[in-house]
């Protein structure tokens, strides 16, 4: 139905003729797989899986520990063998799905060993072991964007599960009098590190698409980390900033910029390095302002942080316009409009003023929407320089 809707739009716009519509429609009909059949098969697979889990869970205490470990080892070994055979025969989807299943079995095996032998360890240690065991075969045999995204999510989960030991490790580099809570640094560092990993992954031709997606996710994490930093400091959720945070952030940024410079063409690396530089500049400026925050000048600092947030997203929008990224440009414009609306509402008080402020804010949103729509359409025609 969605394809037919777009075919009608394209035909009415004169982009395709009736013959092309018929050929595309015939191809879609021949390759169509009813959604309800996919839903029914998914429900059946889920029911079987839940049933097996329920049966095993009901008799878990009666199953000997050796039998549990043997069954787990057998299942993991069979899955690994399946992945190896699919890799040797270059069977793409069996290989990817088998590797994904093996990825899940590895963490399940680690949890089972910990339960059987009553290992007293923190969750982050199991997750680090999981990534250390699973990353080599994922890097070797998987090239799909789905597996890359799931590996990315597992890496982020592992990083934040180790928040406390990482905080102690980084805090040991600073004097006790100069320590912050390091929350903002631990948001910023993984984004830079994952940029490096994604660039390295993208340089291997079979995994280029996977690396490209991982790079986009890493950059999205970077933008999220910087935006969160500005908002957190503006809201006084974080007030203590250690100098070591800026030094380590500088080192991580330089490493990520070096990887981008080496790992891409001039047209690809310049916008990314520019975004990385702007992100670090705004992040470091926010940390320096947090150290200089004065309670007597609260309103002034809040205005500065609001302006800093808008400047950052304006820079993102400008880079998106130059790169021809309409979606990112529209997102940047929307974020700026929302921040302006929040600043507008924060500046008013009282019920009457609030009502008038909401009316004015609504008008502001509509005006900004109209401007954003015009700019986005101009960007689609290449009119924005």
């Amino acid at each position: 139905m969605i394809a037919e809707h777009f075919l009608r739009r394209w035909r009415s716009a004169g982009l395709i003729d009736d013959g092309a519509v018929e050929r595309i429609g015939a191809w879609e009909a021949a390759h169509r797989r009813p959604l309800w059949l996919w839903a029914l098969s998914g429900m059946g697979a889920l029911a079987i899986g839940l049933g097996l889990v329920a049966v095993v869970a009901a008799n878990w205490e009666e199953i000997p520990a050796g039998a549990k470990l043997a069954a787990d080892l057998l299942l993991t070994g069979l899955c690994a063998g399946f992945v190896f055979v699919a890799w040797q025969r270059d069977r793409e989807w069996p290989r990817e799905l088998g590797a994904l299943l093996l990825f899940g079995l590895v963490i399940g095996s680690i949890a089972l060993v910990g339960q059987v032998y009553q290992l007293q360890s923190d969750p982050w240690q199991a997750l680090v072991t999981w990534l250390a065991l699973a990353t080599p075969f994922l890097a070797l045999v998987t090239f799909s964007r789905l597996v890359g995204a799931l590996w990315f999510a597992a890496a982020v989960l592992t990083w934040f599960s180790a928040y406390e030991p990482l905080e102690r490790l980084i805090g040991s580099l600073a004097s006790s009098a100069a320590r912050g809570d390091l929350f903002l640094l631990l948001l910023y560092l993984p984004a830079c590190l994952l940029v490096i990993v994604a660039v390295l992954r993208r340089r291997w031709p079979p995994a280029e698409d996977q690396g490209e997606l991982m790079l986009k996710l890493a950059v999205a994490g970077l933008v999220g980390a910087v935006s969160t930093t500005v908002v957190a400091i503006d809201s006084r959720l974080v007030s203590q900033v250690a100098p070591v945070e800026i030094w380590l952030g500088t080192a991580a940024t330089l490493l990520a910029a070096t990887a981008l410079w080496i790992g891409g063409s001039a047209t690809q690396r310049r916008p990314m390095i520019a975004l990385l530089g702007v992100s670090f500049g705004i992040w470091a400026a926010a940390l320096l302002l947090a150290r200089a925050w004065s309670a007597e000048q609260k309103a002034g600092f809040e205005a500065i942080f609001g302006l800093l947030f808008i400047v950052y997203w304006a820079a993102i929008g400008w880079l998106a316009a130059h790169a021809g990224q309409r979606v990112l440009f529209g997102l940047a414009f929307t974020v700026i409009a929302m921040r302006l609306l929040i600043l507008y509402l924060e500046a008013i008080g009282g019920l009457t003023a609030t009502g008038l402020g909401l009316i004015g804010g609504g008008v502001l949103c509509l005006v900004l929407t109209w401007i954003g729509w015009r700019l986005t359409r101009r960007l689609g025609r290449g009119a924005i320089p």
Side-chain angles (χ1 to χ4, degrees), residues 287-355:
L287 265 62
L288 292 173
L289 285 170
R291 291 179 60 84
W293 185 287
S294 173
E296 291 77 15
Q297 299 175 337
K298 179 180 179 181
F301 274 95
E302 289 178 345
I304 291 174
F305 275 100
L307 179 62
L308 198 64
F309 187 91
I310 292 172
V311 167
Y312 179 52
W313 278 94
I316 293 174
W318 183 81
L319 291 171
H322 276 259
Q325 299 287 337
R326 293 183 62 184
V327 174
L328 182 57
F329 177 80
L331 175 63
F333 193 91
T334 303
V335 170
I336 292 172
M338 294 301 297
R339 186 65 181 119
L340 285 172
L341 178 61
I342 292 172
L343 288 174
Y344 179 81
L345 294 176
E346 287 177 345
I348 61 178
L351 185 58
T352 301
T354 299

Side-chain angles (χ1 to χ4, degrees), residues 45-318:
L46 179 61
I48 293 172
L50 291 175
L52 291 173
V53 170
V55 171
V56 173
N59 301 277
W60 186 254
E61 296 299 331
E62 286 73 27
I63 301 175
K68 295 176 185 176
L69 293 174
D72 176 75
L73 182 62
L74 177 62
L75 183 60
T76 304
L78 289 174
C79 186
F82 174 80
V83 172
F84 180 76
V85 171
W87 175 57
Q88 289 282 4
R89 297 181 179 179
D90 199 22
R91 302 290 298 275
E92 180 181 358
W93 282 110
R95 181 193 68 219
E96 297 286 337
L97 293 175
L100 190 58
L101 178 60
L102 184 58
F103 190 37
L105 286 173
V106 169
I107 185 61
S109 300
I110 293 172
L112 178 61
V113 170
Q115 183 194 51
V116 168
Y117 292 101
Q118 298 295 314
L119 300 179
Q120 301 298 321
S121 59
D122 295 326
W124 70 267
Q125 295 175 314
L127 292 174
V128 169
T129 305
W130 176 39
L131 282 186
L133 292 174
T135 295
F137 74 80
L138 288 179
L140 180 62
V141 306
T142 65
F143 311 120
S144 70
R145 296 162 69 91
L146 172 63
V147 177
L150 292 175
W151 182 90
F152 183 96
V156 173
L157 174 64
T158 302
W159 175 273
F160 286 107
S161 69
Y163 178 87
E164 292 184 359
L166 285 171
E167 186 179 32
R168 289 195 298 269
L169 175 63
I170 297 174
S172 65
L173 302 176
S175 63
S176 58
R179 292 179 186 173
D181 60 10
L182 304 178
F183 170 73
L184 302 176
L185 177 65
L186 292 176
L187 281 179
Y188 185 83
L189 276 183
C192 291
L193 297 177
L194 287 171
V195 165
I196 299 171
V197 173
V199 170
L200 294 175
R201 189 63 175 161
R202 193 176 59 172
R203 286 181 63 84
W204 190 20
E208 185 176 357
D209 288 343
Q210 187 184 76
E212 190 67 32
L213 175 64
M214 293 172 68
L215 182 60
K216 291 179 180 179
L217 292 174
V219 171
L222 178 69
V223 172
V226 175
S227 301
T228 301
T229 295
V230 176
V231 172
I233 296 176
D234 185 19
S235 304
R236 303 307 288 156
L237 299 176
V238 175
S239 58
Q240 297 180 350
V241 176
V244 70
E245 294 187 69
I246 298 177
W247 290 112
L248 289 177
T250 302
T253 304
L254 291 175
L255 288 174
T258 303
L260 288 169
W261 182 264
I262 296 173
S265 62
T267 55
Q268 291 177 329
R269 66 193 181 199
R270 287 175 181 171
M272 299 297 294
I273 293 177
L275 178 59
L276 184 64
V278 170
S279 298
F280 173 73
I282 296 295
W283 182 78
L287 265 62
L288 292 173
L289 285 170
R291 291 179 60 84
W293 185 287
S294 173
E296 291 77 15
Q297 299 175 337
K298 179 180 179 181
F301 274 95
E302 289 178 345
I304 291 174
F305 275 100
L307 179 62
L308 198 64
F309 187 91
I310 292 172
V311 167
Y312 179 52
W313 278 94
I316 293 174
W318 183 81

Side-chain angles (χ1 to χ4, degrees), residues 1-17 20-22 24-25 28 32:
M1 294 299 294
I2 296 177
E4 293 173 359
H5 166 72
F6 281 106
L7 285 175
R8 288 195 297 268
R9 287 186 60 190
W10 296 338
R11 181 172 55 185
S12 62
L15 299 177
I16 56 177
D17 55 20
V21 171
E22 293 178 0
I24 295 172
E28 288 289 343
R32 182 175 297 163

